[in-house]
Amino acid sequence: MPFTAPSSLLDLPPFPADGYADIADRMGALLGTRNDVLLVQGEAIIALEAVASSLAQPGLGAINIITSPYGGLFGGWLRRGGAYVTDVVAEAGLPVTVEAVKSALDARPEAKLLAIVHAESASGIINPLEEIVALTKARGVVTVVDAVASFGGHALDVDGLGVDLVVTGPQKSLAGSAGLSVIGISPKAWALGSHEAAPVNSVLSLLDHKRLWLETGRGVLPGMPSALEFWALRAALERFEAEGLDAAIARHHLAAEATRAGVRALGLTPWVDAAQASDLVTTVRLPDGLTVGQVLQAADAAGLSGGVGPVAEHLVRLNHTGQNAQRDVVRANIAALGRAVAGDIEAGLVAVDGVYGIAA
Ligand SMILES: *Cc1c(COP(=O)(O)O)cnc(C)c1O
């Protein structure tokens, strides 16, 4: 449906009523799912809390994988709803191992739900999602995936893998606004979430979306739609679709490879192997004697930040997500890091350009 985006932030036209379903369909297509797609008004953390709060019920057995603070939050919300949760906590800053997940599933054969983050912006790791979903699928366990960071930057074929419930948003690889989030939910996940203790008439209620959005022909959302956020999501989608999902994934991969090459040329070591690293951020182990604070102060660059979690004091993060997944940003990040550690900046930049196919 052709309609024109507003040119000003003031006096916004209402978002067209048939535009919501269009956005849901387009997000579903990018996620590779034909399941129901819900549009949650709020940042992704709210959608994740709604999922945990809606699926949890007293006595529900759940396996919760923790590779960052996000996993910790999710487990807390499940417990608040009465679920009996086993946390599988990965080694600090590393992906979870398939063996650890398999042991937890074997030890809890009655578990009906497993929650995992696909890729972590906090540590720069990616979890072995494909292998883990193969395990849960074989056991009939509903798999909930936090794909907020990975969506758009990594391949994620929700239906192909058999992910039952996925949560994402446009604020990472799509470089959109953080105010709207998306939930893709399968019939199996709906069955788990349709119980007497499930919240209704609540911002945490998935059943409200079923009743107000899905069962009314997808013209009405729970709550008052924010035209601003819907126009912004539509704009982010237009830009992203114009590039194409595969091209965006390839762009993120190239930025990650170039960053890793630049880091090595500076004489530093990426925190994890390429096989364990996401294409969204690169974490770098700091040389002895340098603190994160010193490095960030000396680097003075928007693309560098401290690590998150228990190994944070040893790590600095180079961001190459969304619009930062491009050569000039990668170069700026490497130059800034080189300044901070007194490394060979020229060598770092040559290595970056080499990955981009540009000769010195
Ligand atoms: C960013 C992120 C979130 C939360 O996004 P907010 O915008 O803070 O709500 C959740 N999970 C992961 C893995 C993320 O990277």
Side-chain angles (χ1 to χ4, degrees):
M1 91 231 41
F3 49 83
T4 313
S7 58
S8 161
L9 294 174
L10 294 173
D11 308 320
L12 284 170
F15 197 74
D18 58 353
Y20 304 121
D22 175 62
I23 284 201
D25 290 345
R26 288 157 74 174
M27 290 298 278
L30 290 175
L31 285 163
T33 186
R34 301 177 69 83
N35 289 331
D36 292 333
V37 174
L38 316 180
L39 301 171
V40 175
Q41 300 201 73
E43 61 166 312
I45 286 281
I46 293 173
L48 287 163
E49 183 172 353
V51 166
S53 306
S54 289
L55 297 188
Q57 61 173 304
L60 173 76
I63 310 285
N64 181 53
I65 294 164
I66 300 185
T67 46
S68 76
Y70 295 118
L73 287 172
F74 200 85
W77 296 321
L78 287 174
R79 287 188 180 91
R80 185 181 64 192
Y84 168 42
V85 183
T86 295
D87 286 327
V88 180
V89 185
E91 229 179 287
L94 295 180
V96 73
T97 65
V98 177
E99 298 73 51
V101 176
K102 185 171 181 303
S103 306
L105 286 165
D106 287 347
R108 296 280 313 279
E110 89 300 351
K112 290 199 169 67
L113 182 152
L114 177 140
I116 184 169
V117 172
H118 185 197
E120 296 285 8
S121 47
S123 62
I125 61 95
I126 185 156
N127 279 313
L129 185 64
E130 211 165 310
E131 291 90 331
I132 289 169
V133 177
L135 293 175
T136 51
K137 232 170 105 175
R139 290 164 167 82
V141 170
V142 166
T143 315
V144 173
V145 175
D146 171 348
V148 180
S150 65
F151 172 62
H154 277 277
L156 174 62
D157 180 2
V158 167
D159 289 357
L161 284 181
V163 169
D164 298 292
L165 195 152
V166 63
V167 176
T168 196
Q171 68 269 47
K172 301 282 168 71
S173 298
L174 261 60
S177 168
L180 271 175
S181 307
V182 171
I183 297 172
I185 178 167
S186 73
K188 214 166 93 190
W190 271 128
L192 194 64
S194 304
H195 57 87
E196 281 185 359
V200 288
N201 298 322
S202 160
V203 289
L204 301 179
S205 171
L206 299 189
L207 290 178
D208 283 4
H209 287 264
K210 187 175 226 175
R211 182 169 47 89
L212 298 168
W213 159 250
L214 295 174
E215 290 175 357
T216 60
R218 300 195 305 167
V220 184
L221 292 158
M224 176 71 183
S226 162
L228 181 65
E229 287 295 337
F230 277 98
W231 286 121
L233 175 51
R234 188 172 177 277
L237 266 172
E238 305 263 280
R239 178 172 64 180
F240 193 81
E241 290 167 347
E243 178 182 18
L245 178 61
D246 291 346
I249 289 170
R251 176 166 55 79
H252 280 86
H253 188 62
L254 197 57
E257 293 213 308
T259 300
R260 295 175 69 84
V263 165
R264 287 216 171 78
L266 292 176
L268 301 172
T269 314
W271 170 247
V272 288
D273 295 343
Q276 297 182 310
S278 87
D279 289 339
L280 311 167
V281 300
T282 295
T283 36
V284 179
R285 193 189 299 264
L286 290 179
D288 288 342
L290 267 182
T291 68
V292 176
Q294 288 167 331
V295 168
L296 296 184
Q297 197 175 10
D300 189 26
L304 267 60
S305 60
V308 177
V311 285
E313 67 268 33
H314 306 298
L315 298 180
V316 63
R317 288 189 296 176
L318 280 65
N319 179 353
H320 38 83
T321 304
Q323 294 303 293
N324 292 321
Q326 50 184 303
R327 176 172 159 253
D328 55 353
V329 177
V330 172
R331 282 176 56 96
N333 287 345
I334 291 296
L337 182 62
R339 258 196 320 277
V341 302
D344 185 343
I345 295 174
E346 199 45 44
L349 296 180
V350 167
V352 168
D353 287 351
V355 172
Y356 277 98
I358 294 162

